[in-house]
Amino acid sequence: MTQPARPADVGLLLSGGLDSAILLGHLLAGGERVQPFYVRAHLHWEAAEERAARRFCAALASPALAELVTLEMPVADLYRNHWSVTGEQVPDASTPDEAVYLPGRNALLVIKAALWCQLQGIPELALAPLSSNPFADASDRFFSTFEAALNLAGEGTLRVIRPFGHLHKRDVMLLGRGMPLELTLSCIAPVGDDHCGECNKCAERQEAFRAAGMSDPTRYATQVK
């Protein structure tokens, strides 16, 4: 992959998980030139997650896809002994969505990628939250307010867009048919590059494939019941 000769049409926060990976494929299929970002917060699962993001980008390589840019936003000094940093007592398959909430997550992910886009003349930054996201920092109010603050503080005008914000998980999974989804990673306690099969996110991933009526190609160390 090489950097496009002119600025990308859109930046994309790419986690390596299903939703943002499918959004990458969706944007490329729509003729967009995409600059993906991976933000390292130094959380327990990120080494495996970043490798997944790189594998997925390699599989979708095209002149319209720029090389993945990594940005550093460490949070260990904020989260300290939180499970996301230590890898201990990771929320399992029986836990509700609230168990995996990370305070300030979207604000921390967006800020450096947004400034990068402003400095490089990229007019939009895309994220992949869905309509079912229950957290306040994935709401319309949050993103409209945060976008306004970014444009007051930064250079130029940037739109923070959520192309899947009106969609449910099943809708997004169906958009991903034919994409190499086996290369993605949704796990918060990976075993090497495999999914643990026991955490909250592994259960969510299995349910996503079931709800869409799709075969799950994921390698799980332990099968979620």
Side-chain angles (χ1 to χ4, degrees):
M1 291 177 290
T2 57
Q3 184 76 28
R6 57 195 175 104
D9 299 311
V10 59
L12 170 66
L13 281 169
L14 181 66
S15 70
L18 288 168
D19 300 335
S20 63
I22 293 170
L23 180 53
L24 172 58
H26 179 70
L27 291 170
L28 291 172
E32 302 278 13
R33 290 170 294 113
V34 183
Q35 172 61 70
F37 300 97
Y38 184 84
V39 180
R40 294 173 180 158
H42 298 201
L43 301 177
H44 174 67
W45 60 85
E46 285 185 344
E49 188 178 65
E50 184 179 344
R51 288 192 294 269
R54 292 188 180 281
R55 289 194 299 268
F56 196 84
C57 284
L60 269 61
S62 82
L65 178 58
E67 184 175 352
L68 183 72
V69 167
T70 57
L71 300 169
E72 299 284 340
M73 183 60 79
V75 297
D77 53 347
L78 295 173
Y79 291 178
R80 299 190 179 183
N81 294 323
H82 192 265
W83 62 264
S84 62
V85 176
T86 66
E88 299 174 0
Q89 297 183 318
V90 172
D92 66 19
S94 68
T95 57
D97 289 341
E98 289 75 17
V100 295
Y101 175 68
L102 298 176
R105 179 68 166 162
N106 278 338
L108 292 167
L109 289 174
V110 168
I111 185 67
K112 289 188 79 169
L115 291 172
W116 201 100
C117 287
Q118 287 178 321
L119 292 169
Q120 299 298 322
I122 297 174
E124 295 182 325
L125 175 65
L127 291 81
L130 311 185
S131 63
S132 56
N133 191 304
F135 304 127
D137 66 354
S139 65
D140 291 344
R141 181 182 179 189
F142 170 80
F143 280 110
S144 62
T145 304
F146 202 64
E147 178 187 283
L150 286 167
N151 287 321
L152 283 173
E155 298 184 9
T157 300
L158 177 75
R159 292 182 62 226
V160 179
I161 63 171
R162 293 166 291 146
F164 292 168
H166 63 295
L167 299 179
H168 294 287
K169 191 78 169 188
R170 182 178 182 276
D171 303 318
V172 173
M173 293 297 292
L174 292 175
L175 286 175
R177 282 191 184 276
M179 296 184 193
L181 301 182
E182 68 278 5
L183 301 179
T184 65
L185 187 133
S186 313
C187 182
I188 50 178
V191 180
D193 284 342
D194 292 343
H195 289 70
C196 73
E198 298 180 332
C199 73
N200 174 289
K201 288 297 183 179
C202 281
E204 180 183 283
R205 182 182 179 95
Q206 287 201 341
E207 176 56 30
F209 280 103
R210 281 195 296 267
M214 298 166 61
S215 175
D216 185 352
T218 310
R219 293 188 308 185
Y220 297 100
T222 301
Q223 201 70 14
V224 177
K225 303 299 183 182

